[in-house]
Amino acid sequence: MPAMKVAGNIEAEINNLLIGGNPADADLMALEFIEELAETNIDLLADIDQESIKDTLANYTDFLSAVDGILFERKNILLPRQANIFTTNYDLFIEKAASKLPNVTLNDGFDRTSTVGSRYLFSPEKYFDRTYRSGSTNGRIAELPVLNLIKVHGSLSWHRDADKEIRFSSNGVSLSGHVQKNDPAAVSNALANRALILPNLRKFESTMLERVYFDLLRLFSNCMDRDNALLIAFGFSFADEHILDITRRALRNPTAQLLIFAYSSANVAAFSDKFSQNRNVVIVDPGTGAPTDFKVFNSILREVVPDGGKPL
């Protein structure tokens, strides 16, 4: 059982409220959804012994270990030892999983090189950095595998600094406090304090978040424009119209490839319809077999690594 309730149709439900002239109800639904996620993430960071959290964290840990194993086998110096993980999730399961893997380097886009304390500034240009290590005797230089975590819709660990910059929240994840839910202004303010792209057609509570969002989408587009780019999609429906549109346009690159792992056969038709005009899209249909859940997906990744890429 997942540790967190999936978003499902929440964006459509919130949009229906907005279209129907009920912005207060739309804000309340968004706040309740985010607060539920925050509660789970507080338990995650506090190492609360909860079976659903442990299982979900184990899947993420296995996923990062498998991707790191694939990068480790990349011996060609012409290709960077990097993988980009694009996600619209707000949660911190990937960050927590990386902390359990000492050999995995996770780059979350925050500049930790020159800040006193832990008020790290979000600097997307950090995603272009490559990490090397030299030998102590012969001076030989080797590139280290790095996983770039790109959270397109923001994160529960992001904090707005006077609505001018995004900084890492040194206090971890927190709840919004005692918000009077029958007070539309209080609910709206609680949402505005989050550095998140909200699941609704308004999306942007500030021009700063809008700028960050499109900067990260531009990064996604540039990655797809590279020769022989491979995008693997798992657990993502492409319901976000901005991301869907950029992906379709990026697939005009004839050397790019999109590989979609459908959870079940019931999802295949929707993917086929979205990418009906693209020839470089492959949809993996589990058929009548077991659904492609996180464990199954990880087992497929491990088939790429020699000897199954045993977890580190």
Side-chain angles (χ1 to χ4, degrees):
M1 180 179 179
M4 299 172 296
K5 183 176 71 174
V6 296
N9 295 321
I10 187 169
E11 181 164 357
E13 293 172 5
I14 292 175
N15 286 339
N16 287 337
L17 290 171
L18 291 171
I19 294 170
N22 297 303
D25 290 341
D27 284 347
L28 182 58
M29 180 177 289
L31 180 65
E32 290 177 341
F33 173 70
I34 292 168
E35 291 295 285
E36 185 175 346
L37 289 180
E39 289 178 359
T40 300
N41 280 264
I42 289 172
D43 291 344
L44 167 70
L45 298 180
D47 295 315
I48 299 297
D49 188 11
Q50 185 175 322
E51 198 65 30
S52 60
I53 291 178
K54 288 168 59 179
D55 289 346
T56 302
L57 181 59
N59 284 330
Y60 275 104
T61 304
D62 193 25
F63 166 70
L64 294 184
S65 176
V67 176
D68 180 71
I70 293 171
L71 292 177
F72 185 77
E73 293 299 321
R74 181 177 283 179
K75 309 300 184 183
N76 188 338
I77 62 174
L78 298 178
L79 296 174
R81 271 182 155 181
Q82 290 186 339
N84 297 313
I85 303 173
F86 291 91
T87 179
T88 56
N89 292 353
Y90 304 137
D91 64 80
L92 304 181
F93 271 95
I94 291 179
E95 293 93 326
K96 181 68 172 181
S99 72
K100 292 182 171 294
L101 297 168
N103 291 329
V104 168
T105 301
L106 186 74
N107 176 13
D108 61 3
F110 284 89
D111 186 356
R112 292 174 169 83
T113 59
S114 59
T115 302
V116 176
S118 54
R119 287 177 51 76
Y120 309 120
L121 179 66
F122 184 64
S123 305
E125 61 269 19
K126 300 297 291 183
Y127 291 125
F128 299 100
D129 291 353
R130 296 170 69 172
T131 305
Y132 295 85
R133 180 172 294 165
S134 62
S136 58
T137 55
N138 57 18
R140 183 178 180 181
I141 297 176
E143 184 176 3
L144 300 180
V146 172
L147 306 180
N148 292 320
L149 176 60
I150 302 155
K151 306 183 88 167
V152 179
H153 283 177
S155 175
L156 290 170
S157 65
W158 290 13
H159 172 71
R160 291 195 208 180
D161 189 352
D163 209 31
K164 295 180 179 178
E165 299 172 327
I166 291 177
R167 293 188 180 272
F168 184 81
S169 177
S170 58
N171 297 324
V173 178
S174 60
L175 298 176
S176 297
H178 300 290
V179 179
Q180 295 295 324
K181 294 187 177 180
N182 60 349
D183 181 353
V187 172
S188 180
N189 288 336
L191 287 173
N193 287 331
R194 299 278 188 185
L196 302 173
I197 306 299
L198 298 176
N200 60 56
L201 50 81
R202 294 177 304 185
K203 283 193 182 295
F204 308 110
E205 297 293 334
S206 76
T207 55
M208 183 268 294
L209 283 178
E210 182 175 8
R211 173 176 52 79
V212 171
Y213 177 67
F214 284 109
D215 280 348
L216 297 182
L217 286 185
R218 190 177 302 110
L219 176 60
F220 171 67
S221 178
N222 290 341
C223 288
M224 289 296 292
D225 280 339
R226 295 173 184 169
D227 289 341
N228 301 307
L230 172 63
L231 175 64
I232 299 176
F234 171 75
F236 187 66
S237 65
F238 287 95
D240 186 301
E241 289 297 328
H242 286 108
I243 296 177
L244 175 61
D245 180 60
I246 288 174
T247 304
R248 284 171 172 162
R249 285 188 281 113
L251 288 171
R252 294 172 185 169
N253 172 5
T255 68
Q257 183 85 25
L258 171 59
L259 181 61
I260 302 174
F261 285 87
Y263 177 75
S264 68
S265 292
N267 307 120
V268 172
F271 287 127
S272 297
D273 182 62
K274 284 183 171 71
F275 296 102
S276 60
Q277 303 301 313
N278 302 104
R279 299 175 60 184
N280 44 352
V281 177
V282 175
I283 304 170
V284 180
D285 183 352
T288 58
T292 306
D293 60 14
F294 211 159
K295 288 185 179 179
V296 172
F297 177 68
N298 284 337
S299 69
I300 295 171
L301 282 183
R302 292 211 170 275
E303 291 297 319
V304 179
V305 189
D307 301 321
K310 301 302 179 185
L312 300 175

